[in-house]
Structures are given as C-alpha cells and as structure tokens.
Amino acid sequence: MAAKIIDGKMRAKEVREGLKNEVLALKSSGTIPKLSVILVGEDPASHIYVSNKEKACSEVGIASEIHRLPSNTREIDLMKLVAKLNDDKNVHGILVQLPLPDQISEENILNSILPNKDVDGLGAQNMGMLVKGEGDPFIPCTPQGIIDLIKTTGIEIKGKNAIVVGRSNIVGKPAAILLLGQHATVTICHSRTLNLKEIISKADILVAAIGKPRLITGDMIKEGAAVIDVGTTRTAKGWEGDVDFDSAKEKAGYLTPVPGGVGPMTIAMLLKNTIKAASKK
Ligand code: GUN
C-alpha cells in the first residue's frame, strides 16, 4: 500500500496561523518579539535559509534583523556582536546561521549566546537541559518540528523502535533524545555503523538525517514504518532527501517529502521559540 505523505508545508502553515495570535497578544501587552540572525560568509544555501526565516518572521508579525558579515570575520568580532545582541533588551532571540567559516569556533559562538535568547537551542545550557530533562529549554528547531509532525499525524511513539540515522548536534542527537522522551526505544546510526540496512529494517519510526541523497531505499524499510526525511542536499536534480522517495512510498506507512516535509517545520519552530523567548522576558 502506498504511504500517506505527511504534508509539512500545510502543518507549518497551521502552526504559523496559531502563532499570529500569540504575537498579537504579546504586542498588546507592549512586547514586539524580535529575532536577530547572524549570517557569516557567502554559503548560497545559508543565504536562502536566512531569507526564508526573515520572510516567515514578517508574515507572523515578528520583527527581525539580519547581520550579514564577511567570510573573513574574526571570532572576536562575532563574539562582540553576540554580546551586543545579548545586551539589547529589544532582541529576544539570537540565531547564528551554521556552518561558520573555519577560523571561528562554532562551540565558542553558540555558547556565548545568552541561554534565554538561544532560540536555536544549540548552546550547551539548553542542550544539557534537554538531555537531562530539566526545566523548559529551547529545543532545536528541526527535531522539534519532527516530533510535531509525528504527533500531529497521529503516529504513536511510545514503545516503538525509533532509528535515527545521523548524529549531528543540530538534528540527530536532539531528535534521538526527544524520541526517548516520548518513550521510544531509540537507536542512533551514523556513517560508521555496520549493517545499517539490517538496523534500519527494524525501524517503526525512521528519522533520516545524514545528508547522503537517496541512501535509504524502499527495500530497507519495514512495511508500514513512519519515515521522516530530514536530508536536503542540493544536487543537479534539485533538492534531494536521504530517502529514495519513489521506492520508499511503496513500503512506508507514512513518508515526508523533500522539499515540503521537515524543512517548513524548522522555520515554524524557530518562530515558536522566538515567541517563547519574548514571552519569558
Ligand atoms: N544551518 C542549517 N540548519 C540550521 C539550523 O537549524 N540552525 C542554524 N543556526 N544553522 C543551521
């Protein structure tokens, strides 16, 4: 039976509609939520992502500003800009677009963002709280969007075998922790995993976030599995996911498309986190 295609674009729109009301409520109490985005260098994909974030902010009524810095920016100068935004009472969320040029330590920069403005949730404090299950941290946007899509589609997570392919700090690791928090039995696979095919074939829920176009084909997927494709690689054929869509849709029970699956959810969750930051103030 062909898989049900999970429409991330539609769900993201629904989330944004709900957020508009929250922005109105904040504004009527005198707070204009504001996101500051820092983009260093010329990576074309990053420029597209950042423009999309700016558009999405304006659509729901969040103020935004983009700081575009040259690729030879020194770490100390980026630190100074982050410090300035940390001190700016009108800025509620700070996002440093990744990847950063080689001369800048991603770790130093992400950890220099005040935890209560770290709307990407990638700093050590928010990530540590997420792992420990403490308090109310900012949750990284893509994994948060994945869980939203799974839950709103009505897929049961509790007790299921969830396999996450990819161990990045942005997606794989936090996605695994969130699935664990929803009581899945979680396995993380990566580029060095032996017998990947055998492990993947056990997945009731499969999250593919390894950045290798079409690595996962229908023959590897368990009949009826929920397959969430986070891969977005630009190839000669356009944007491609980690999952071979045509063969996967014959085996999976649910499948996210690329584009139009997880991507729009990432931005919707960023808006949600920014409103949360402004509300906490
Ligand atoms: N680059 C690709 N995805 C992301 C993301 O979610 N956050 C940041 N800061 N950079 C990214």
Side-chain angles (χ1 to χ4, degrees), residues 175-198:
I177 295 296
L178 289 172
L179 287 161
L180 190 61
Q182 298 293 320
H183 313 293
T185 300
V186 181
T187 305
I188 305 178
C189 302
H190 45 79
S191 57
R192 317 267 170 95
T193 297
L194 303 176
N195 50 32
L196 184 69
K197 193 171 169 176
E198 189 193 324

Side-chain angles (χ1 to χ4, degrees), residues 95-98 120 170:
L95 180 144
V96 178
Q97 186 67 26
L98 303 175
D120 237 356
I170 297 189

Side-chain angles (χ1 to χ4, degrees), residues 83-228:
K84 194 174 122 207
L85 298 172
N86 280 341
D87 287 343
D88 187 336
K89 300 225 166 353
N90 295 319
V91 170
H92 305 99
I94 302 170
L95 180 144
V96 178
Q97 186 67 26
L98 303 175
L100 288 167
D102 292 346
Q103 75 276 13
I104 300 175
S105 153
E106 187 180 299
E107 180 183 323
N108 288 347
I109 296 301
L110 293 178
N111 288 338
S112 73
I113 300 170
L114 270 183
N116 63 3
K117 295 191 178 189
D118 174 21
V119 287
D120 237 356
L122 299 177
Q125 177 154 334
N126 280 298
M127 202 67 109
M129 288 169 78
L130 172 64
V131 172
K132 293 180 79 181
E134 279 181 14
D136 182 24
F138 288 108
I139 296 176
C141 304
T142 302
Q144 194 183 158
I146 292 169
I147 298 295
D148 179 294
L149 274 185
I150 295 174
K151 284 184 145 184
T152 55
T153 304
I155 298 160
E156 170 107 66
I157 302 177
K158 188 166 69 179
K160 298 288 182 66
N161 272 340
I163 315 285
V164 178
V165 186
R167 54 176 159 178
S168 69
N169 287 329
I170 297 189
V171 185
K173 280 187 214 164
I177 295 296
L178 289 172
L179 287 161
L180 190 61
Q182 298 293 320
H183 313 293
T185 300
V186 181
T187 305
I188 305 178
C189 302
H190 45 79
S191 57
R192 317 267 170 95
T193 297
L194 303 176
N195 50 32
L196 184 69
K197 193 171 169 176
E198 189 193 324
I199 297 171
I200 287 177
S201 71
K202 305 276 191 303
D204 301 307
I205 297 169
L206 178 64
V207 175
I210 197 159
K212 291 192 181 156
R214 299 183 190 215
L215 175 78
I216 295 160
T217 46
D219 58 311
M220 299 163 87
I221 295 170
K222 181 173 172 178
E223 188 83 42
V227 179
I228 311 295

